[in-house]
mmCIF file of all heavy atoms in Angstrom:
data_model
loop_
_atom_site.group_PDB
_atom_site.id
_atom_site.type_symbol
_atom_site.label_atom_id
_atom_site.label_comp_id
_atom_site.label_asym_id
_atom_site.label_seq_id
_atom_site.Cartn_x
_atom_site.Cartn_y
_atom_site.Cartn_z
ATOM 1 N N ALA A 79 -7.073 13.371 -0.439
ATOM 2 C CA ALA A 79 -8.151 12.784 -1.242
ATOM 3 C C ALA A 79 -7.797 11.376 -1.709
ATOM 4 O O ALA A 79 -8.681 10.526 -1.879
ATOM 5 C CB ALA A 79 -8.448 13.676 -2.445
ATOM 6 N N ARG A 102 -17.631 18.334 8.236
ATOM 7 C CA ARG A 102 -18.497 18.113 7.073
ATOM 8 C C ARG A 102 -17.837 18.628 5.787
ATOM 9 O O ARG A 102 -17.932 17.996 4.730
ATOM 10 C CB ARG A 102 -19.862 18.801 7.286
ATOM 11 C CG ARG A 102 -20.845 18.378 6.221
ATOM 12 C CD ARG A 102 -22.249 18.908 6.424
ATOM 13 N NE ARG A 102 -23.072 18.525 5.275
ATOM 14 C CZ ARG A 102 -24.095 19.197 4.839
ATOM 15 N NH1 ARG A 102 -24.484 20.299 5.457
ATOM 16 N NH2 ARG A 102 -24.789 18.796 3.782
ATOM 17 N N THR A 103 -17.162 19.779 5.886
ATOM 18 C CA THR A 103 -16.460 20.324 4.710
ATOM 19 C C THR A 103 -15.372 19.363 4.246
ATOM 20 O O THR A 103 -15.218 19.104 3.037
ATOM 21 C CB THR A 103 -15.848 21.703 5.041
ATOM 22 O OG1 THR A 103 -16.887 22.588 5.469
ATOM 23 C CG2 THR A 103 -15.150 22.296 3.832
ATOM 24 N N ALA A 104 -14.622 18.812 5.200
ATOM 25 C CA ALA A 104 -13.531 17.883 4.859
ATOM 26 C C ALA A 104 -14.071 16.599 4.229
ATOM 27 O O ALA A 104 -13.553 16.123 3.204
ATOM 28 C CB ALA A 104 -12.725 17.558 6.113
ATOM 29 N N VAL A 105 -15.110 16.049 4.838
ATOM 30 C CA VAL A 105 -15.700 14.809 4.315
ATOM 31 C C VAL A 105 -16.217 15.018 2.891
ATOM 32 O O VAL A 105 -15.929 14.236 1.982
ATOM 33 C CB VAL A 105 -16.848 14.320 5.236
ATOM 34 C CG1 VAL A 105 -17.676 13.233 4.548
ATOM 35 C CG2 VAL A 105 -16.282 13.787 6.548
ATOM 36 N N ASN A 106 -16.955 16.110 2.669
ATOM 37 C CA ASN A 106 -17.541 16.332 1.344
ATOM 38 C C ASN A 106 -16.512 16.738 0.297
ATOM 39 O O ASN A 106 -16.667 16.421 -0.885
ATOM 40 C CB ASN A 106 -18.680 17.353 1.431
ATOM 41 C CG ASN A 106 -19.949 16.732 1.994
ATOM 42 O OD1 ASN A 106 -20.175 15.527 1.829
ATOM 43 N ND2 ASN A 106 -20.770 17.520 2.659
ATOM 44 N N ALA A 107 -15.454 17.422 0.725
ATOM 45 C CA ALA A 107 -14.370 17.758 -0.214
ATOM 46 C C ALA A 107 -13.703 16.483 -0.730
ATOM 47 O O ALA A 107 -13.402 16.365 -1.925
ATOM 48 C CB ALA A 107 -13.338 18.654 0.467
ATOM 49 N N GLN A 108 -13.498 15.533 0.167
ATOM 50 C CA GLN A 108 -12.877 14.278 -0.263
ATOM 51 C C GLN A 108 -13.828 13.457 -1.126
ATOM 52 O O GLN A 108 -13.417 12.839 -2.109
ATOM 53 C CB GLN A 108 -12.424 13.478 0.955
ATOM 54 C CG GLN A 108 -11.243 14.118 1.663
ATOM 55 C CD GLN A 108 -10.369 13.118 2.379
ATOM 56 O OE1 GLN A 108 -10.562 11.914 2.301
ATOM 57 N NE2 GLN A 108 -9.384 13.611 3.085
ATOM 58 N N ARG A 109 -15.091 13.449 -0.765
ATOM 59 C CA ARG A 109 -16.080 12.721 -1.582
ATOM 60 C C ARG A 109 -16.135 13.315 -2.997
ATOM 61 O O ARG A 109 -16.183 12.586 -3.994
ATOM 62 C CB ARG A 109 -17.462 12.776 -0.918
ATOM 63 C CG ARG A 109 -17.555 11.936 0.356
ATOM 64 C CD ARG A 109 -18.902 12.110 1.045
ATOM 65 N NE ARG A 109 -19.970 11.447 0.334
ATOM 66 C CZ ARG A 109 -20.354 10.177 0.552
ATOM 67 N NH1 ARG A 109 -19.743 9.455 1.474
ATOM 68 N NH2 ARG A 109 -21.337 9.658 -0.139
ATOM 69 N N LYS A 110 -16.116 14.643 -3.075
ATOM 70 C CA LYS A 110 -16.151 15.311 -4.379
ATOM 71 C C LYS A 110 -14.917 14.966 -5.203
ATOM 72 O O LYS A 110 -15.012 14.707 -6.402
ATOM 73 C CB LYS A 110 -16.243 16.831 -4.167
ATOM 74 C CG LYS A 110 -16.412 17.625 -5.456
ATOM 75 C CD LYS A 110 -16.552 19.116 -5.170
ATOM 76 C CE LYS A 110 -16.681 19.908 -6.473
ATOM 77 N NZ LYS A 110 -16.761 21.373 -6.207
ATOM 78 N N ALA A 111 -13.739 14.953 -4.534
ATOM 79 C CA ALA A 111 -12.489 14.627 -5.238
ATOM 80 C C ALA A 111 -12.506 13.200 -5.791
ATOM 81 O O ALA A 111 -11.854 12.905 -6.801
ATOM 82 C CB ALA A 111 -11.296 14.804 -4.296
ATOM 83 N N ARG A 112 -13.280 12.329 -5.139
ATOM 84 C CA ARG A 112 -13.383 10.936 -5.598
ATOM 85 C C ARG A 112 -14.551 10.721 -6.561
ATOM 86 O O ARG A 112 -14.846 9.594 -6.956
ATOM 87 C CB ARG A 112 -13.534 10.003 -4.392
ATOM 88 C CG ARG A 112 -12.308 9.945 -3.494
ATOM 89 C CD ARG A 112 -12.391 8.789 -2.510
ATOM 90 N NE ARG A 112 -13.481 8.953 -1.548
ATOM 91 C CZ ARG A 112 -13.313 9.413 -0.307
ATOM 92 N NH1 ARG A 112 -12.109 9.764 0.106
ATOM 93 N NH2 ARG A 112 -14.343 9.525 0.508
ATOM 94 N N GLY A 113 -15.265 11.818 -6.884
ATOM 95 C CA GLY A 113 -16.387 11.712 -7.809
ATOM 96 C C GLY A 113 -17.650 11.177 -7.166
ATOM 97 O O GLY A 113 -18.552 10.690 -7.864
ATOM 98 N N GLU A 114 -17.743 11.289 -5.819
ATOM 99 C CA GLU A 114 -18.919 10.794 -5.103
ATOM 100 C C GLU A 114 -19.848 11.954 -4.747
ATOM 101 O O GLU A 114 -19.430 13.120 -4.708
ATOM 102 C CB GLU A 114 -18.482 10.078 -3.811
ATOM 103 C CG GLU A 114 -17.584 8.877 -4.051
ATOM 104 C CD GLU A 114 -16.954 8.347 -2.768
ATOM 105 O OE1 GLU A 114 -17.283 8.856 -1.673
ATOM 106 O OE2 GLU A 114 -16.113 7.431 -2.864
ATOM 107 N N ASP A 115 -21.108 11.637 -4.484
ATOM 108 C CA ASP A 115 -22.066 12.655 -4.061
ATOM 109 C C ASP A 115 -21.729 13.142 -2.656
ATOM 110 O O ASP A 115 -21.210 12.383 -1.833
ATOM 111 C CB ASP A 115 -23.492 12.090 -4.057
ATOM 112 C CG ASP A 115 -24.013 11.812 -5.461
ATOM 113 O OD1 ASP A 115 -23.502 12.441 -6.416
ATOM 114 O OD2 ASP A 115 -24.909 10.955 -5.597
ATOM 115 N N GLU A 116 -22.059 14.411 -2.376
ATOM 116 C CA GLU A 116 -21.852 14.938 -1.031
ATOM 117 C C GLU A 116 -22.791 14.239 -0.046
ATOM 118 O O GLU A 116 -23.878 13.797 -0.420
ATOM 119 C CB GLU A 116 -22.108 16.443 -1.011
ATOM 120 C CG GLU A 116 -21.041 17.245 -1.725
ATOM 121 C CD GLU A 116 -21.138 18.726 -1.435
ATOM 122 O OE1 GLU A 116 -22.079 19.138 -0.712
ATOM 123 O OE2 GLU A 116 -20.277 19.485 -1.920
ATOM 124 N N MET A 117 -22.358 14.147 1.187
ATOM 125 C CA MET A 117 -23.178 13.546 2.234
ATOM 126 C C MET A 117 -24.217 14.573 2.701
ATOM 127 O O MET A 117 -23.872 15.734 2.938
ATOM 128 C CB MET A 117 -22.285 13.116 3.407
ATOM 129 C CG MET A 117 -23.004 12.296 4.461
ATOM 130 S SD MET A 117 -21.883 11.787 5.812
ATOM 131 C CE MET A 117 -20.932 10.524 4.998
ATOM 132 N N SER A 118 -25.461 14.151 2.823
ATOM 133 C CA SER A 118 -26.509 15.065 3.265
ATOM 134 C C SER A 118 -26.278 15.452 4.720
ATOM 135 O O SER A 118 -25.596 14.741 5.469
ATOM 136 C CB SER A 118 -27.879 14.408 3.129
ATOM 137 O OG SER A 118 -28.033 13.391 4.114
ATOM 138 N N LEU A 125 -23.923 10.104 11.404
ATOM 139 C CA LEU A 125 -22.625 9.426 11.408
ATOM 140 C C LEU A 125 -21.667 10.050 12.425
ATOM 141 O O LEU A 125 -21.006 9.339 13.191
ATOM 142 C CB LEU A 125 -22.012 9.481 10.002
ATOM 143 C CG LEU A 125 -20.692 8.716 9.807
ATOM 144 C CD1 LEU A 125 -20.888 7.221 10.064
ATOM 145 C CD2 LEU A 125 -20.146 8.947 8.396
ATOM 146 N N MET A 163 -14.114 9.747 10.465
ATOM 147 C CA MET A 163 -15.061 10.312 9.497
ATOM 148 C C MET A 163 -14.522 10.240 8.065
ATOM 149 O O MET A 163 -15.278 10.030 7.119
ATOM 150 C CB MET A 163 -15.377 11.765 9.859
ATOM 151 C CG MET A 163 -16.209 11.936 11.131
ATOM 152 S SD MET A 163 -17.844 11.172 11.032
ATOM 153 C CE MET A 163 -18.612 12.163 9.745
ATOM 154 N N LEU A 164 -13.223 10.446 7.913
ATOM 155 C CA LEU A 164 -12.629 10.489 6.569
ATOM 156 C C LEU A 164 -12.315 9.097 6.011
ATOM 157 O O LEU A 164 -12.173 8.921 4.803
ATOM 158 C CB LEU A 164 -11.355 11.343 6.587
ATOM 159 C CG LEU A 164 -11.580 12.831 6.867
ATOM 160 C CD1 LEU A 164 -10.250 13.540 7.096
ATOM 161 C CD2 LEU A 164 -12.329 13.492 5.718
ATOM 162 N N GLU A 165 -12.184 8.110 6.909
ATOM 163 C CA GLU A 165 -11.902 6.719 6.512
ATOM 164 C C GLU A 165 -10.765 6.613 5.491
ATOM 165 O O GLU A 165 -10.947 6.128 4.386
ATOM 166 C CB GLU A 165 -13.180 6.066 5.959
ATOM 167 C CG GLU A 165 -14.291 5.965 6.982
ATOM 168 C CD GLU A 165 -15.482 5.156 6.490
ATOM 169 O OE1 GLU A 165 -15.705 5.104 5.265
ATOM 170 O OE2 GLU A 165 -16.172 4.573 7.329
#
Side-chain angles (χ1 to χ4, degrees):
R102 190 175 175 209
T103 302
V105 167
N106 283 331
Q108 290 208 5
R109 289 175 73 90
K110 185 178 178 182
R112 294 193 294 261
E114 299 169 5
D115 291 336
E116 289 193 357
M117 189 179 286
S118 72
L125 185 62
M163 290 298 295
L164 294 170
E165 297 188 333

